[in-house]
Amino acid sequence: MVVNETERPLSLEMTAEHDMLLTAVRDFAQREIAPVAAEFDESGEFPLDTVRKMGEMGLMGIEVPEEYGGAGMDTLAHVLTMIEIAKADASHSTILSVNNSLYCNGILWFGTEAQKREWITPVASGAEVGAYSLTEPMSGSDAGNMASRAMLNEAGTHYIINGRKSWVTSAPFADRIVLFTMTADHLPQSPNLDRGTTHRNITAFLVDTSQPGFSRGKTEPKLGIRASATSEIIFDDYACPVENVLGGVGQGFKIAMTVLDAGRIGIAAQALGIAEAAYEAALIYAREREAFGAPIGSYQMIQQKIADMKTRMEAGRALIYQAIIAKERALTSGGRYTTEASMAKLFCSEAAAYVTDEALQIHGGMGYSKEMPLERYYRDARITRIYEGTSEIQRMVIARNELGLR
Ligand code: CAA
């Protein structure tokens, strides 16, 4: 449910630290990432150099306390960073988002002290890349329905993991992965298991990708965010020490969902960043491009587009801010912010689709050409309606919570 208004702080405070971060990230993103974005999109190469630089700036572990190698900042800092990086290049912001939200948060919130030190520090500092693996070839939206299995060995020292996971962002380069798999080896691999049974038997594991039994499958050829490498991962008798269970056996589904709530705020910010880039390009073009003897921005049909684009972006920003407030409150006082996160992601991803489409339309033929970034923004925005929960799943989550249904 949406947090009670009276219990919620009414505003976000933009501190001097946030201002400094914003200026530094904007400058870095425009100077170092924007100029190479088209090239990496074309080649589909993973931008390891700039990812390492984001790490050096503290951006790969923004909300991670400094003692574990992070920047020790808050959700607003994360959102401001995501918007600026996505504005320069959505692929970079995808890598950043998974590293921060889906990898570091899970260990920070559910890990032991020893796990935090060993598993967060190298990834939050950007020396290594982190990933999160929930999806399987036969289960995407229905995340609780898994075929992969982890079986405890006789000595009780290791879980032996077998199975395939798919659509794992950053997997081709990830050094460490938070993996979700079933620990109920007695259960058949059936898609029709009782739902409660499957959810209660999913466990999160910390996986070191340099160990035997781990391999990478095919890299997905994608429509957008082409420089953020995505692949299958394969477990073939991978022996995972019992110390690498995250948050307790059978707690995996809740960990996966809790982490996704935070991730969805990040994807909302990514969508807003892509939309802002497209919108700002459209403003410039509408002022400069002339048709029928006047700038096209002087015509009401273009003005209507500009007004609707701007209004949707600002409405999305307000939903993101509401979600940030709800998350910060939940982190200090408990509770969930699932609905706020889903509303922000749903609205911003659909706003990004609208804004990138209209911005391309305002550019006419030039928008369709690869000589301008509009077609890239249009392609990159598309994924935000799919990953970390499709728009259909966000609507289901919001409605179920509002109706009090499961
Ligand atoms: N926080 C904490 N716990 C939660 C939760 C949340 N947000 N949502 C559900 N749970 C808990 C429930 O309370 C319930 O617990 P109990 O059994 O103790 O009551 C349990 O989890 C099961 O909940 P549901 O019955 O609601 O589960 P469901 O099977 O109906 O599924 C769902 C819910 C929301 C549809 C979920 O499956 C879902 O989010 N699907 C989409 C998956 C997704 O986003 N995948 C993207 C993967 S990451 C990615 O995109 C790639 C990348 O690398 C970027």
Side-chain angles (χ1 to χ4, degrees):
M1 299 289 264
V2 171
V3 185
N4 186 332
E5 279 301 335
T6 55
E7 294 171 353
R8 173 196 285 165
L10 290 175
S11 62
L12 282 178
E13 195 192 348
M14 181 86 178
T15 62
E17 212 184 351
H18 289 122
D19 261 332
M20 275 168 55
L21 174 82
L22 182 58
T23 308
V25 175
R26 185 174 286 161
D27 176 62
F28 166 75
Q30 291 305 318
R31 192 169 26 84
E32 304 244 2
I33 297 179
V36 297
E39 195 182 311
F40 278 99
D41 170 62
E42 187 69 27
S43 69
E45 207 182 303
F46 191 80
L48 207 48
D49 284 352
T50 33
V51 167
R52 295 272 186 255
K53 285 183 187 166
M54 292 198 294
E56 285 159 20
M57 289 178 74
L59 307 183
M60 297 300 272
I62 299 164
E63 294 171 74
V64 170
E66 289 175 38
E67 57 183 307
Y68 306 123
M73 294 188 79
D74 58 7
T75 313
L76 177 58
H78 182 189
V79 161
L80 295 171
T81 300
M82 278 296 292
I83 293 173
E84 292 306 319
I85 300 289
K87 237 169 134 170
D89 177 37
S91 293
H92 279 77
S93 65
T94 299
I95 300 161
L96 186 106
S97 175
V98 168
N99 214 75
N100 276 277
S101 297
L102 302 188
Y103 180 87
C104 290
N105 276 343
I107 306 172
L108 198 57
W109 294 338
F110 297 97
T112 62
E113 185 55 32
Q115 286 175 336
K116 288 180 201 174
R117 296 211 177 274
E118 183 184 344
W119 291 82
I120 297 182
T121 310
V123 171
S125 64
E128 295 183 3
V129 174
Y132 167 102
S133 174
L134 179 67
T135 303
E136 296 194 355
M138 297 310 289
S139 70
S141 290
D142 186 5
N145 177 22
M146 294 182 183
S148 64
R149 292 288 187 272
M151 190 188 297
L152 191 60
N153 66 1
E154 277 186 18
T157 56
H158 290 79
Y159 278 91
I160 308 302
I161 303 176
N162 282 288
R164 297 179 91 84
K165 306 292 282 187
S166 52
W167 288 102
V168 185
T169 299
S170 298
F173 291 87
D175 302 283
R176 296 167 187 261
I177 300 179
V178 175
L179 166 78
F180 299 90
T181 184
M182 293 274 284
T183 28
D185 46 279
H186 58 283
L187 292 175
Q189 291 186 6
S190 156
N192 298 316
L193 290 174
D194 164 64
R195 308 197 63 74
T197 308
T198 56
H199 292 135
R200 284 190 297 275
N201 286 292
I202 291 171
T203 300
F205 291 94
L206 301 174
V207 165
D208 175 348
T209 63
S210 67
Q211 294 304 306
F214 174 89
S215 62
R216 296 161 168 101
K218 75 177 167 72
T219 299
E220 298 295 341
K222 304 193 300 283
L223 172 75
I225 54 160
R226 288 175 34 76
S228 89
T230 311
S231 77
E232 281 195 331
I233 54 177
I234 299 139
F235 293 88
D236 184 8
D237 284 341
Y238 177 93
C240 186
V242 288
E243 306 85 80
N244 293 358
V245 166
L246 178 67
V249 174
Q251 294 302 307
F253 192 75
K254 283 196 183 170
I255 295 173
M257 292 298 114
T258 306
V259 164
L260 275 173
D261 284 346
R264 287 167 183 166
I265 301 177
I267 301 304
Q270 174 183 51
L272 182 59
I274 301 169
E276 278 189 9
Y279 174 76
E280 287 174 15
L283 274 188
I284 293 170
Y285 199 76
R287 285 193 194 106
E288 290 177 354
R289 171 74 178 183
E290 296 199 356
F292 307 104
I296 59 171
S298 66
Y299 298 117
Q300 287 185 352
M301 265 192 270
I302 300 294
Q303 290 173 2
Q304 182 184 2
K305 292 185 196 302
I306 298 288
D308 288 351
M309 290 155 81
K310 177 70 174 164
T311 305
R312 289 186 199 207
M313 289 192 312
E314 294 313 320
R317 198 184 318 274
L319 282 171
I320 293 177
Y321 288 167
Q322 171 177 275
I324 296 174
I325 291 167
K327 179 183 160 202
E328 291 295 347
R329 186 177 167 277
L331 288 181
T332 50
S333 324
R336 277 169 49 177
Y337 51 96
T338 305
T339 302
E340 288 90 340
S342 284
M343 290 193 300
K345 185 199 182 264
L346 171 64
F347 192 88
C348 289
S349 60
E350 299 203 341
Y354 175 82
V355 171
T356 54
D357 187 50
E358 290 292 46
L360 191 153
Q361 188 71 14
I362 288 172
H363 282 78
M366 283 313 293
Y368 202 67
S369 164
K370 279 196 176 287
E371 284 183 18
M372 295 203 73
L374 276 302
E375 61 83 35
R376 175 164 54 86
Y377 301 148
Y378 178 77
R379 285 185 287 108
D380 285 346
R382 189 65 183 83
I383 189 61
T384 64
R385 283 189 284 158
I386 298 172
Y387 64 10
E388 300 204 23
T390 60
S391 289
E392 290 76 8
I393 288 292
Q394 307 311 326
R395 287 189 166 89
M396 187 172 117
V397 167
I398 296 162
R400 276 185 183 184
N401 285 347
E402 285 299 291
L403 292 164
L405 299 173
R406 280 268 320 270

